[in-house]
Coordinates of all heavy atoms in Angstrom, one line a residue:
K1530 N -143.4 -57.2 -91.3 CA -142.7 -57.0 -92.6 C -142.8 -55.5 -93.0 O -141.9 -55.0 -93.6 CB -143.3 -57.9 -93.7 CG -143.0 -59.4 -93.5 CD -143.7 -60.2 -94.5 CE -143.4 -61.7 -94.3 NZ -144.1 -62.6 -95.2
L1531 N -144.0 -54.9 -92.8 CA -144.1 -53.5 -93.1 C -143.1 -52.7 -92.4 O -142.5 -51.8 -93.0 CB -145.5 -53.0 -92.7 CG -146.7 -53.1 -93.7 CD1 -148.0 -52.5 -93.1 CD2 -146.4 -52.4 -95.0
I1532 N -142.9 -53.0 -91.2 CA -141.9 -52.2 -90.4 C -140.5 -52.5 -90.9 O -139.7 -51.5 -91.0 CB -142.0 -52.6 -88.9 CG1 -143.4 -52.2 -88.3 CG2 -140.9 -52.0 -88.0 CD1 -143.7 -52.8 -87.0
Q1533 N -140.2 -53.7 -91.1 CA -138.9 -54.1 -91.6 C -138.6 -53.5 -93.0 O -137.4 -53.2 -93.3 CB -138.7 -55.6 -91.6 CG -138.7 -56.2 -90.2 CD -138.8 -57.7 -90.3 OE1 -139.2 -58.3 -91.3 NE2 -138.4 -58.4 -89.2
N1534 N -139.6 -53.2 -93.8 CA -139.4 -52.6 -95.1 C -139.5 -51.0 -95.0 O -139.5 -50.4 -96.0 CB -140.5 -53.0 -96.0 CG -140.4 -54.5 -96.4 OD1 -139.3 -55.1 -96.4 ND2 -141.5 -55.1 -96.7
N1535 N -139.5 -50.5 -93.7 CA -139.5 -49.1 -93.5 C -140.7 -48.4 -94.1 O -140.6 -47.3 -94.6 CB -138.2 -48.4 -94.1 CG -136.9 -48.9 -93.4 OD1 -136.9 -49.1 -92.2 ND2 -135.9 -49.2 -94.2
S1536 N -141.8 -49.1 -94.1 CA -143.0 -48.6 -94.6 C -143.9 -47.8 -93.6 O -144.9 -47.2 -93.9 CB -143.9 -49.7 -95.2 OG -143.2 -50.3 -96.3
V1537 N -143.4 -47.9 -92.3 CA -144.2 -47.2 -91.3 C -143.2 -46.3 -90.6 O -142.0 -46.7 -90.3 CB -144.8 -48.2 -90.3 CG1 -145.6 -47.5 -89.2 CG2 -145.6 -49.2 -91.0
V1538 N -143.6 -45.1 -90.3 CA -142.8 -44.0 -89.6 C -143.2 -44.0 -88.2 O -144.4 -44.0 -87.9 CB -143.0 -42.7 -90.3 CG1 -142.1 -41.6 -89.6 CG2 -142.5 -42.8 -91.8
F1539 N -142.2 -43.9 -87.3 CA -142.5 -43.7 -85.8 C -142.0 -42.4 -85.3 O -140.8 -42.1 -85.6 CB -141.9 -44.9 -85.0 CG -142.2 -46.3 -85.6 CD1 -141.2 -47.1 -86.1 CD2 -143.5 -46.7 -85.7 CE1 -141.4 -48.3 -86.6 CE2 -143.8 -48.0 -86.2 CZ -142.7 -48.8 -86.7
E1540 N -142.8 -41.7 -84.6 CA -142.4 -40.4 -84.0 C -143.0 -40.2 -82.6 O -144.1 -40.8 -82.3 CB -142.7 -39.3 -84.9 CG -141.9 -39.2 -86.1 CD -142.0 -37.9 -86.9 OE1 -141.6 -36.8 -86.3 OE2 -142.6 -37.9 -88.0
P1541 N -142.4 -39.5 -81.7 CA -143.0 -39.2 -80.4 C -144.3 -38.4 -80.5 O -144.5 -37.5 -81.4 CB -141.9 -38.4 -79.7 CG -140.7 -38.7 -80.4 CD -141.0 -38.9 -81.8
C1542 N -145.2 -38.7 -79.6 CA -146.5 -38.0 -79.5 C -146.2 -36.5 -79.3 O -146.9 -35.6 -79.9 CB -147.3 -38.5 -78.4 SG -148.0 -40.1 -78.5
H1543 N -145.2 -36.2 -78.5 CA -144.9 -34.8 -78.2 C -144.5 -34.0 -79.4 O -144.7 -32.7 -79.4 CB -143.8 -34.7 -77.1 CG -144.2 -34.9 -75.7 ND1 -145.0 -34.0 -75.0 CD2 -144.1 -35.9 -74.9 CE1 -145.2 -34.4 -73.8 NE2 -144.7 -35.6 -73.7
H1544 N -144.0 -34.6 -80.5 CA -143.7 -33.9 -81.7 C -144.9 -33.3 -82.4 O -144.8 -32.5 -83.3 CB -142.8 -34.8 -82.6 CG -141.4 -35.0 -82.1 ND1 -140.5 -35.7 -82.9 CD2 -140.8 -34.7 -81.0 CE1 -139.4 -35.8 -82.2 NE2 -139.6 -35.2 -81.0
F1545 N -146.1 -33.9 -82.0 CA -147.3 -33.5 -82.7 C -148.3 -32.9 -81.6 O -149.5 -32.9 -81.8 CB -147.9 -34.6 -83.4 CG -147.1 -35.1 -84.6 CD1 -146.0 -36.0 -84.4 CD2 -147.3 -34.5 -85.9 CE1 -145.3 -36.4 -85.5 CE2 -146.5 -34.9 -86.9 CZ -145.5 -35.9 -86.8
N1546 N -147.7 -32.4 -80.6 CA -148.5 -31.7 -79.5 C -149.6 -32.7 -78.9 O -150.7 -32.3 -78.6 CB -149.3 -30.5 -80.1 CG -149.1 -29.3 -79.2 OD1 -148.1 -29.2 -78.4 ND2 -150.0 -28.4 -79.2
A1547 N -149.1 -34.0 -78.8 CA -150.0 -35.0 -78.2 C -149.3 -35.7 -77.1 O -148.1 -35.7 -76.9 CB -150.4 -36.0 -79.4
V1548 N -150.1 -36.5 -76.3 CA -149.6 -37.3 -75.3 C -150.4 -38.6 -75.2 O -151.6 -38.6 -75.6 CB -149.7 -36.6 -73.9 CG1 -148.6 -35.6 -73.7 CG2 -151.0 -35.9 -73.6
G1549 N -149.8 -39.6 -74.7 CA -150.5 -40.9 -74.5 C -149.9 -41.7 -73.4 O -148.6 -41.7 -73.2
P1550 N -150.6 -42.4 -72.5 CA -150.1 -43.1 -71.4 C -149.4 -44.4 -71.9 O -149.7 -45.0 -72.9 CB -151.3 -43.4 -70.5 CG -152.4 -43.5 -71.5 CD -152.1 -42.4 -72.6
M1551 N -148.4 -44.9 -71.1 CA -147.7 -46.1 -71.3 C -147.1 -46.1 -72.7 O -146.3 -45.2 -73.1 CB -148.5 -47.4 -71.0 CG -149.0 -47.4 -69.6 SD -147.8 -47.2 -68.3 CE -146.8 -48.7 -68.4
A1552 N -147.4 -47.1 -73.6 CA -146.9 -47.1 -75.0 C -147.3 -45.8 -75.7 O -146.5 -45.4 -76.6 CB -147.4 -48.3 -75.7
G1553 N -148.4 -45.2 -75.4 CA -148.8 -43.9 -75.9 C -149.2 -43.9 -77.4 O -149.1 -42.9 -78.0
I1554 N -149.6 -45.0 -77.9 CA -149.8 -45.2 -79.3 C -151.0 -44.4 -79.8 O -152.1 -44.5 -79.3 CB -150.0 -46.7 -79.7 CG1 -148.8 -47.5 -79.3 CG2 -150.2 -46.8 -81.2 CD1 -147.4 -47.0 -79.8
I1555 N -150.7 -43.6 -80.9 CA -151.8 -42.9 -81.6 C -151.6 -43.2 -83.1 O -150.5 -42.9 -83.6 CB -151.7 -41.4 -81.4 CG1 -152.0 -41.0 -79.9 CG2 -152.7 -40.6 -82.3 CD1 -151.9 -39.6 -79.5
S1556 N -152.6 -43.7 -83.7 CA -152.6 -44.0 -85.1 C -153.7 -43.3 -85.8 O -154.6 -42.8 -85.1 CB -152.7 -45.5 -85.4 OG -153.9 -46.1 -85.0
P1557 N -153.7 -43.2 -87.1 CA -154.7 -42.2 -87.8 C -156.1 -42.4 -87.5 O -156.9 -41.4 -87.4 CB -154.4 -42.5 -89.3 CG -153.0 -43.0 -89.3 CD -152.8 -43.8 -88.1
S1558 N -156.6 -43.6 -87.3 CA -158.0 -43.8 -87.1 C -158.5 -43.8 -85.7 O -159.7 -44.1 -85.4 CB -158.5 -45.2 -87.8 OG -158.1 -45.2 -89.1
M1559 N -157.6 -43.5 -84.8 CA -158.0 -43.4 -83.3 C -158.6 -42.1 -83.0 O -158.3 -41.0 -83.5 CB -156.8 -43.6 -82.5 CG -156.2 -45.0 -82.5 SD -154.8 -45.3 -81.5 CE -154.3 -47.0 -81.8
P1560 N -159.6 -42.1 -82.1 CA -160.3 -40.9 -81.6 C -159.4 -40.1 -80.6 O -158.7 -40.7 -79.8 CB -161.5 -41.4 -81.0 CG -161.2 -42.7 -80.4 CD -160.2 -43.3 -81.4
L1561 N -159.4 -38.8 -80.7 CA -158.6 -38.0 -79.9 C -159.5 -36.9 -79.2 O -160.4 -36.4 -79.8 CB -157.5 -37.3 -80.6 CG -156.5 -38.1 -81.4 CD1 -155.5 -37.2 -82.1 CD2 -155.8 -39.1 -80.5
W1562 N -159.2 -36.7 -77.9 CA -159.7 -35.5 -77.2 C -158.9 -34.3 -77.8 O -157.7 -34.3 -78.0 CB -159.5 -35.5 -75.7 CG -160.1 -36.7 -75.0 CD1 -159.5 -37.7 -74.4 CD2 -161.5 -36.9 -74.7 NE1 -160.3 -38.6 -73.8 CE2 -161.6 -38.1 -74.0 CE3 -162.7 -36.2 -75.0 CZ2 -162.8 -38.6 -73.5 CZ3 -163.9 -36.7 -74.6 CH2 -164.0 -37.9 -73.8
V1563 N -159.6 -33.1 -77.9 CA -159.0 -31.9 -78.4 C -159.1 -30.9 -77.3 O -160.2 -30.5 -76.8 CB -159.6 -31.4 -79.7 CG1 -159.0 -30.1 -80.1 CG2 -159.6 -32.4 -80.8
I1564 N -157.9 -30.4 -76.8 CA -157.9 -29.4 -75.7 C -157.3 -28.1 -76.1 O -156.2 -28.1 -76.7 CB -157.1 -30.0 -74.5 CG1 -157.9 -31.2 -73.9 CG2 -156.8 -29.0 -73.4 CD1 -157.7 -32.5 -74.5
K1565 N -158.0 -27.0 -75.9 CA -157.5 -25.7 -76.2 C -157.2 -24.9 -74.9 O -157.8 -25.2 -73.9 CB -158.5 -24.9 -77.1 CG -158.6 -25.4 -78.5 CD -157.4 -24.9 -79.3 CE -157.4 -23.4 -79.6 NZ -156.3 -22.9 -80.3
D1566 N -156.3 -24.0 -75.0 CA -155.9 -23.1 -73.9 C -156.7 -21.8 -74.1 O -156.4 -20.9 -74.9 CB -154.4 -22.8 -73.9 CG -154.0 -22.0 -72.7 OD1 -154.8 -21.5 -72.0 OD2 -152.8 -22.0 -72.4
N1567 N -157.7 -21.6 -73.3 CA -158.6 -20.4 -73.4 C -157.8 -19.1 -73.1 O -158.2 -18.0 -73.6 CB -159.8 -20.5 -72.5 CG -161.0 -21.2 -73.2 OD1 -160.8 -21.6 -74.3 ND2 -162.1 -21.2 -72.5
Q1568 N -156.8 -19.2 -72.3 CA -156.0 -18.0 -71.9 C -155.0 -17.6 -73.0 O -154.6 -16.5 -73.1 CB -155.3 -18.3 -70.6 CG -154.5 -17.0 -70.0 CD -155.4 -15.9 -69.7 OE1 -156.6 -16.0 -69.3 NE2 -154.9 -14.7 -69.9
H1569 N -154.5 -18.7 -73.7 CA -153.6 -18.4 -74.8 C -154.1 -19.0 -76.1 O -153.7 -20.1 -76.6 CB -152.2 -19.1 -74.4 CG -151.6 -18.7 -73.1 ND1 -151.7 -19.4 -72.0 CD2 -151.0 -17.5 -72.8 CE1 -151.1 -18.8 -71.0 NE2 -150.7 -17.6 -71.4
P1570 N -155.1 -18.4 -76.7 CA -155.9 -19.0 -77.8 C -155.0 -19.1 -79.0 O -155.4 -19.9 -79.9 CB -157.0 -17.9 -78.1 CG -156.6 -16.7 -77.4 CD -155.7 -17.1 -76.2
S1571 N -153.9 -18.4 -79.1 CA -153.0 -18.6 -80.3 C -152.2 -19.9 -80.2 O -151.6 -20.3 -81.2 CB -152.1 -17.4 -80.5 OG -151.2 -17.3 -79.3
N1572 N -152.1 -20.5 -79.0 CA -151.4 -21.8 -78.9 C -152.1 -22.9 -79.6 O -153.4 -22.9 -79.6 CB -151.2 -22.1 -77.4 CG -150.1 -21.3 -76.8 OD1 -149.5 -20.5 -77.4 ND2 -149.9 -21.6 -75.5
P1573 N -151.4 -23.8 -80.3 CA -152.1 -24.9 -81.0 C -152.8 -25.8 -80.0 O -152.4 -25.9 -78.8 CB -151.0 -25.6 -81.7 CG -149.7 -25.2 -81.0 CD -150.0 -23.9 -80.4
P1574 N -153.8 -26.6 -80.4 CA -154.5 -27.5 -79.5 C -153.6 -28.6 -79.1 O -152.6 -29.0 -79.8 CB -155.7 -28.0 -80.3 CG -155.3 -27.8 -81.7 CD -154.4 -26.6 -81.8
V1575 N -153.9 -29.3 -78.0 CA -153.2 -30.5 -77.5 C -154.2 -31.7 -77.7 O -155.4 -31.5 -77.6 CB -152.9 -30.3 -76.0 CG1 -152.3 -31.6 -75.5 CG2 -151.8 -29.2 -75.9
F1576 N -153.6 -32.8 -78.0 CA -154.4 -34.0 -78.3 C -154.0 -35.2 -77.4 O -152.8 -35.3 -77.0 CB -154.2 -34.4 -79.8 CG -154.4 -33.4 -80.8 CD1 -153.3 -32.8 -81.4 CD2 -155.7 -32.9 -81.1 CE1 -153.5 -31.8 -82.3 CE2 -155.8 -31.9 -82.0 CZ -154.7 -31.3 -82.6
C1577 N -155.0 -36.0 -77.1 CA -154.6 -37.3 -76.4 C -155.6 -38.3 -76.8 O -156.8 -38.0 -77.2 CB -154.7 -37.1 -74.9 SG -156.2 -36.6 -74.2
N1578 N -155.2 -39.6 -76.7 CA -156.1 -40.7 -77.1 C -157.1 -41.0 -75.9 O -157.0 -40.4 -74.8 CB -155.3 -41.9 -77.5 CG -154.2 -42.2 -76.4 OD1 -154.2 -41.7 -75.3 ND2 -153.3 -43.1 -76.8
F1579 N -158.0 -41.9 -76.2 CA -159.0 -42.3 -75.2 C -158.4 -43.4 -74.3 O -157.6 -44.2 -74.8 CB -160.3 -42.9 -75.8 CG -161.2 -41.9 -76.4 CD1 -160.8 -40.6 -76.6 CD2 -162.5 -42.3 -76.8 CE1 -161.7 -39.7 -77.2 CE2 -163.4 -41.4 -77.3 CZ -163.0 -40.1 -77.5
N1580 N -158.8 -43.5 -73.0 CA -158.3 -44.5 -72.2 C -159.1 -45.8 -72.3 O -160.3 -45.8 -72.2 CB -158.3 -44.0 -70.7 CG -157.5 -44.9 -69.8 OD1 -157.9 -46.1 -69.5 ND2 -156.3 -44.5 -69.4
E1581 N -158.4 -46.9 -72.5 CA -159.0 -48.2 -72.8 C -159.5 -48.9 -71.6 O -160.2 -49.9 -71.7 CB -158.1 -49.1 -73.6 CG -157.4 -48.6 -74.8 CD -156.1 -49.3 -75.1 OE1 -156.2 -50.4 -75.7 OE2 -155.0 -48.9 -74.7
G1582 N -159.1 -48.5 -70.4 CA -159.3 -49.3 -69.2 C -158.1 -50.1 -68.8 O -157.0 -49.9 -69.3
L1583 N -158.4 -51.1 -68.0 CA -157.3 -52.0 -67.5 C -157.4 -53.3 -68.2 O -158.3 -53.6 -69.0 CB -157.3 -52.1 -66.0 CG -157.1 -50.8 -65.2 CD1 -157.3 -51.0 -63.7 CD2 -155.8 -50.2 -65.5
G1584 N -156.4 -54.2 -67.8 CA -156.4 -55.6 -68.4 C -155.6 -55.6 -69.7 O -154.6 -54.9 -69.8
K1585 N -156.0 -56.4 -70.6 CA -155.3 -56.6 -71.9 C -155.7 -55.4 -72.8 O -156.8 -55.4 -73.4 CB -155.7 -57.9 -72.6 CG -155.5 -59.1 -71.7 CD -154.0 -59.4 -71.6 CE -153.7 -60.7 -70.8 NZ -152.3 -60.9 -70.6
V1586 N -154.8 -54.4 -72.9 CA -155.1 -53.2 -73.6 C -153.9 -52.9 -74.5 O -152.7 -53.3 -74.2 CB -155.4 -52.0 -72.7 CG1 -156.8 -52.3 -72.0 CG2 -154.4 -51.8 -71.6
L1587 N -154.1 -52.1 -75.5 CA -153.0 -51.7 -76.5 C -151.9 -51.0 -75.8 O -150.7 -51.2 -76.1 CB -153.6 -50.9 -77.6 CG -152.7 -50.6 -78.8 CD1 -152.6 -51.8 -79.6 CD2 -153.1 -49.4 -79.6
R1588 N -152.2 -50.1 -74.8 CA -151.1 -49.3 -74.3 C -150.1 -50.1 -73.5 O -149.0 -49.7 -73.2 CB -151.7 -48.2 -73.4 CG -152.3 -48.6 -72.1 CD -152.7 -47.4 -71.3 NE -153.3 -47.7 -70.0 CZ -154.5 -48.1 -69.7 NH1 -155.4 -48.1 -70.8 NH2 -154.9 -48.3 -68.5
F1589 N -150.4 -51.4 -73.1 CA -149.5 -52.3 -72.5 C -148.9 -53.3 -73.5 O -148.3 -54.3 -73.1 CB -150.1 -53.0 -71.3 CG -150.3 -52.1 -70.1 CD1 -151.5 -51.7 -69.7 CD2 -149.2 -51.8 -69.3 CE1 -151.6 -50.9 -68.6 CE2 -149.3 -51.0 -68.2 CZ -150.5 -50.5 -67.8
G1590 N -149.2 -53.1 -74.8 CA -148.7 -54.0 -75.8 C -149.6 -55.1 -76.3 O -149.2 -55.9 -77.2
A1591 N -150.8 -55.2 -75.7 CA -151.7 -56.3 -76.1 C -152.2 -56.0 -77.5 O -152.5 -54.8 -77.8 CB -152.8 -56.5 -75.1
N1592 N -152.4 -57.0 -78.4 CA -152.9 -56.8 -79.7 C -153.8 -57.9 -80.2 O -153.8 -58.2 -81.4 CB -151.7 -56.5 -80.7 CG -150.6 -57.6 -80.6 OD1 -151.0 -58.8 -80.4 ND2 -149.4 -57.2 -80.7
S1593 N -154.5 -58.5 -79.3 CA -155.4 -59.6 -79.7 C -156.6 -59.1 -80.3 O -156.9 -57.9 -80.3 CB -155.7 -60.4 -78.4 OG -156.5 -59.6 -77.5
Q1594 N -157.5 -60.0 -80.8 CA -158.7 -59.6 -81.5 C -159.6 -58.8 -80.5 O -160.3 -57.9 -80.9 CB -159.4 -60.8 -82.0 CG -160.6 -60.4 -83.0 CD -160.2 -59.6 -84.2 OE1 -159.2 -59.9 -84.8 NE2 -160.9 -58.5 -84.4
E1595 N -159.6 -59.2 -79.2 CA -160.4 -58.6 -78.2 C -160.0 -57.1 -78.1 O -160.8 -56.2 -78.0 CB -160.2 -59.3 -76.8 CG -160.8 -58.5 -75.7 CD -160.3 -59.1 -74.3 OE1 -159.5 -60.0 -74.3 OE2 -160.8 -58.5 -73.3
V1596 N -158.7 -56.9 -78.1 CA -158.1 -55.5 -78.0 C -158.6 -54.7 -79.3 O -159.0 -53.5 -79.2 CB -156.6 -55.5 -77.9 CG1 -156.0 -54.1 -78.0 CG2 -156.2 -56.1 -76.6
L1597 N -158.5 -55.3 -80.5 CA -158.8 -54.6 -81.7 C -160.3 -54.3 -81.8 O -160.7 -53.3 -82.2 CB -158.4 -55.4 -82.9 CG -156.9 -55.7 -83.0 CD1 -156.6 -56.6 -84.2 CD2 -156.1 -54.5 -83.0
D1598 N -161.1 -55.3 -81.3 CA -162.6 -55.0 -81.3 C -162.9 -53.9 -80.4 O -163.8 -53.0 -80.7 CB -163.3 -56.3 -80.8 CG -163.2 -57.4 -81.8 OD1 -162.9 -57.1 -83.0 OD2 -163.5 -58.6 -81.5
R1599 N -162.3 -53.8 -79.2 CA -162.6 -52.6 -78.3 C -162.2 -51.3 -79.0 O -162.9 -50.3 -78.9 CB -161.8 -52.8 -77.0 CG -162.2 -51.8 -76.0 CD -161.3 -51.8 -74.8 NE -161.3 -53.1 -74.1 CZ -160.2 -53.9 -74.1 NH1 -159.1 -53.6 -74.7 NH2 -160.3 -55.1 -73.5
L1600 N -161.0 -51.3 -79.6 CA -160.5 -50.1 -80.3 C -161.5 -49.7 -81.4 O -161.8 -48.5 -81.6 CB -159.1 -50.3 -80.9 CG -158.0 -50.4 -79.9 CD1 -156.7 -50.8 -80.6 CD2 -157.8 -49.1 -79.1
D1601 N -162.0 -50.7 -82.2 CA -163.0 -50.4 -83.2 C -164.3 -49.7 -82.6 O -164.8 -48.7 -83.2 CB -163.5 -51.7 -83.9 CG -162.4 -52.1 -84.9 OD1 -161.7 -51.3 -85.5 OD2 -162.4 -53.4 -85.2
W1602 N -164.7 -50.2 -81.5 CA -165.9 -49.6 -80.8 C -165.6 -48.2 -80.3 O -166.4 -47.3 -80.5 CB -166.4 -50.5 -79.7 CG -167.5 -49.9 -78.9 CD1 -168.8 -49.8 -79.2 CD2 -167.3 -49.2 -77.6 NE1 -169.5 -49.1 -78.2 CE2 -168.6 -48.8 -77.2 CE3 -166.3 -49.0 -76.7 CZ2 -168.8 -48.1 -76.0 CZ3 -166.5 -48.3 -75.6 CH2 -167.7 -47.9 -75.2
M1603 N -164.4 -48.1 -79.8 CA -164.0 -46.8 -79.2 C -163.9 -45.7 -80.4 O -164.2 -44.6 -80.2 CB -162.7 -46.9 -78.5 CG -162.8 -47.6 -77.2 SD -161.2 -47.9 -76.4 CE -160.7 -46.3 -75.9
G1604 N -163.4 -46.2 -81.5 CA -163.2 -45.3 -82.7 C -164.5 -45.0 -83.4 O -164.5 -44.2 -84.3
T1605 N -165.6 -45.7 -83.1 CA -166.9 -45.4 -83.7 C -167.9 -45.0 -82.7 O -168.1 -43.8 -82.5 CB -167.4 -46.7 -84.5 OG1 -167.3 -47.8 -83.6 CG2 -166.4 -47.0 -85.7
E1606 N -168.6 -45.9 -82.0 CA -169.7 -45.6 -81.1 C -169.2 -44.6 -80.0 O -169.9 -43.7 -79.7 CB -170.3 -46.8 -80.6 CG -171.2 -47.6 -81.6 CD -172.0 -48.7 -80.9 OE1 -172.1 -48.7 -79.7 OE2 -172.4 -49.6 -81.7
L1607 N -168.1 -45.0 -79.3 CA -167.7 -44.2 -78.2 C -167.3 -42.8 -78.6 O -167.6 -41.8 -78.0 CB -166.6 -44.8 -77.4 CG -166.1 -44.1 -76.1 CD1 -167.2 -44.0 -75.1 CD2 -164.9 -44.8 -75.5
M1608 N -166.6 -42.7 -79.7 CA -166.2 -41.4 -80.3 C -167.4 -40.6 -80.6 O -167.5 -39.4 -80.3 CB -165.3 -41.6 -81.5 CG -165.0 -40.2 -82.1 SD -164.1 -40.4 -83.7 CE -164.2 -38.7 -84.3
Q1609 N -168.4 -41.2 -81.3 CA -169.6 -40.4 -81.6 C -170.3 -39.9 -80.4 O -170.8 -38.8 -80.3 CB -170.6 -41.4 -82.4 CG -170.0 -41.7 -83.8 CD -170.8 -42.9 -84.4 OE1 -171.8 -43.4 -83.9 NE2 -170.2 -43.4 -85.5
A1610 N -170.4 -40.8 -79.3 CA -171.0 -40.3 -78.1 C -170.3 -39.2 -77.4 O -170.9 -38.2 -77.0 CB -171.1 -41.5 -77.1
M1611 N -168.9 -39.3 -77.3 CA -168.1 -38.3 -76.7 C -168.2 -37.0 -77.5 O -168.3 -35.9 -76.9 CB -166.7 -38.7 -76.5 CG -166.5 -39.9 -75.5 SD -167.1 -39.6 -73.8 CE -168.8 -40.3 -73.9
K1612 N -168.1 -37.1 -78.8 CA -168.2 -35.9 -79.6 C -169.5 -35.2 -79.5 O -169.6 -33.9 -79.3 CB -167.9 -36.2 -81.1 CG -167.8 -35.0 -82.0 CD -167.4 -35.4 -83.4 CE -167.3 -34.2 -84.3 NZ -166.1 -33.3 -83.9
A1613 N -170.6 -35.9 -79.5 CA -171.9 -35.3 -79.3 C -172.1 -34.7 -78.0 O -172.7 -33.6 -77.9 CB -173.0 -36.4 -79.6
A1614 N -171.5 -35.3 -76.9 CA -171.6 -34.8 -75.6 C -170.9 -33.5 -75.5 O -171.4 -32.5 -74.9 CB -171.1 -35.8 -74.6
V1615 N -169.6 -33.4 -76.0 CA -168.8 -32.2 -75.9 C -169.5 -31.1 -76.7 O -169.5 -29.9 -76.2 CB -167.4 -32.5 -76.4 CG1 -166.6 -31.2 -76.4 CG2 -166.7 -33.5 -75.5
E1616 N -170.1 -31.4 -77.8 CA -170.8 -30.4 -78.6 C -172.0 -29.8 -77.8 O -172.4 -28.6 -78.1 CB -171.3 -31.0 -79.9 CG -170.1 -31.2 -80.9 CD -170.5 -31.9 -82.1 OE1 -171.7 -32.4 -82.2 OE2 -169.7 -32.0 -83.1
Q1617 N -172.5 -30.5 -76.9 CA -173.7 -30.0 -76.1 C -173.2 -29.0 -75.0 O -174.0 -28.4 -74.4 CB -174.4 -31.2 -75.4 CG -175.2 -32.0 -76.4 CD -176.4 -31.3 -76.9 OE1 -177.1 -30.6 -76.2 NE2 -176.7 -31.6 -78.2
T1618 N -171.9 -29.0 -74.8 CA -171.4 -28.1 -73.7 C -170.7 -26.9 -74.4 O -170.6 -26.8 -75.6 CB -170.3 -28.8 -72.9 OG1 -169.1 -29.0 -73.7 CG2 -170.8 -30.1 -72.4
S1619 N -170.4 -25.9 -73.6 CA -169.6 -24.8 -74.2 C -168.1 -25.0 -73.9 O -167.3 -24.0 -73.9 CB -170.0 -23.5 -73.4 OG -169.9 -23.6 -72.0
G1620 N -167.7 -26.3 -73.8 CA -166.4 -26.6 -73.5 C -166.3 -27.0 -72.0 O -167.0 -26.4 -71.2
I1621 N -165.5 -28.1 -71.7 CA -165.4 -28.5 -70.4 C -164.1 -28.1 -69.8 O -163.0 -28.5 -70.3 CB -165.6 -30.1 -70.3 CG1 -167.0 -30.5 -70.8 CG2 -165.3 -30.6 -68.9 CD1 -167.2 -32.0 -70.9
E1622 N -164.1 -27.2 -68.8 CA -162.8 -26.8 -68.2 C -162.2 -27.9 -67.4 O -162.9 -28.5 -66.5 CB -163.1 -25.5 -67.3 CG -163.6 -24.3 -68.1 CD -163.7 -23.1 -67.2 OE1 -163.3 -23.1 -66.1 OE2 -164.2 -22.1 -67.7
L1623 N -161.0 -28.2 -67.6 CA -160.3 -29.3 -67.0 C -159.6 -29.0 -65.7 O -159.5 -29.8 -64.8 CB -159.3 -30.0 -68.0 CG -160.0 -30.5 -69.3 CD1 -158.9 -31.1 -70.2 CD2 -161.0 -31.6 -69.0
K1624 N -159.1 -27.8 -65.6 CA -158.4 -27.4 -64.4 C -159.2 -27.4 -63.2 O -158.8 -28.0 -62.1 CB -157.8 -26.0 -64.6 CG -156.6 -25.6 -63.9 CD -156.0 -24.3 -64.4 CE -154.8 -23.8 -63.6 NZ -154.3 -22.6 -64.2
P1625 N -160.5 -27.0 -63.2 CA -161.3 -27.1 -62.0 C -161.6 -28.5 -61.6 O -161.7 -28.9 -60.4 CB -162.6 -26.4 -62.4 CG -162.2 -25.4 -63.4 CD -161.1 -26.1 -64.2

Side-chain angles (χ1 to χ4, degrees):
K1530 289 176 184 177
L1531 270 183
I1532 295 169
Q1533 292 170 340
N1534 292 334
N1535 297 317
S1536 299
V1537 183
V1538 178
F1539 310 117
E1540 289 193 65
C1542 292
H1543 278 287
H1544 288 188
F1545 295 85
N1546 229 26
V1548 284
M1551 301 310 291
I1554 301 304
I1555 294 176
S1556 65
S1558 301
M1559 292 182 181
L1561 300 181
W1562 300 111
V1563 181
I1564 290 82
K1565 284 286 289 180
D1566 186 345
N1567 271 5
Q1568 185 62 32
H1569 305 102
S1571 61
N1572 283 359
V1575 172
F1576 310 105
C1577 63
N1578 50 13
F1579 283 15
N1580 194 285
E1581 308 159 82
L1583 297 176
K1585 302 293 184 183
V1586 290
L1587 189 77
R1588 70 177 183 275
F1589 285 106
N1592 50 37
S1593 66
Q1594 191 60 48
E1595 174 193 358
V1596 172
L1597 300 179
D1598 289 345
R1599 186 190 303 112
L1600 290 174
D1601 281 333
W1602 174 76
M1603 291 173 67
T1605 52
E1606 287 189 19
L1607 183 61
M1608 175 185 168
Q1609 292 164 10
M1611 295 299 98
K1612 186 174 182 66
V1615 173
E1616 287 175 349
Q1617 289 291 321
T1618 72
S1619 55
I1621 298 176
E1622 295 186 7
L1623 299 178
K1624 208 167 173 179

